[in-house]
Amino acid sequence: NLLRFRPFLCLIYGTAVINLEVSPALDQRTVLVVDDILDHGVTLDHIVRYCDEQGAAEVLTAVLVVKKQ
């Protein structure tokens, strides 16, 4: 099953606040997180940690563009 979700994201002084409602549960699922642009990786890091906390068996990431610093 392909599960898609769009997080509500608010960045405040480099801190990501992410509210997600994911159904069904991520427990023992393989999750692929695709980000359009990787800037500092704060958002991606938070989403990966969230998936781990929810019991995902494996979390894979893909980024389309890495922003030059």
Side-chain angles (χ1 to χ4, degrees):
N1 292 338
L2 178 62
L3 176 67
R4 294 177 56 195
F5 61 90
R6 183 177 297 261
F8 169 77
L9 171 64
C10 178
L11 291 175
I12 303 172
Y13 302 110
T15 301
V17 176
I18 302 170
N19 297 313
L20 299 173
E21 287 188 27
V22 179
S23 180
L26 299 179
D27 189 42
Q28 297 306 309
R29 296 184 72 153
T30 298
V31 178
L32 172 61
V33 179
V34 180
D35 197 358
D36 56 352
I37 300 172
L38 179 67
D39 193 1
H40 294 286
V42 173
T43 305
L44 191 58
D45 179 62
H46 282 291
I47 292 174
V48 168
R49 282 193 280 140
Y50 171 83
C51 293
D52 284 336
E53 291 168 1
Q54 297 303 306
E58 181 177 29
V59 182
L60 307 170
T61 61
V63 176
L64 303 177
V65 176
V66 176
K67 188 174 178 181
K68 291 183 179 181
Q69 300 300 321

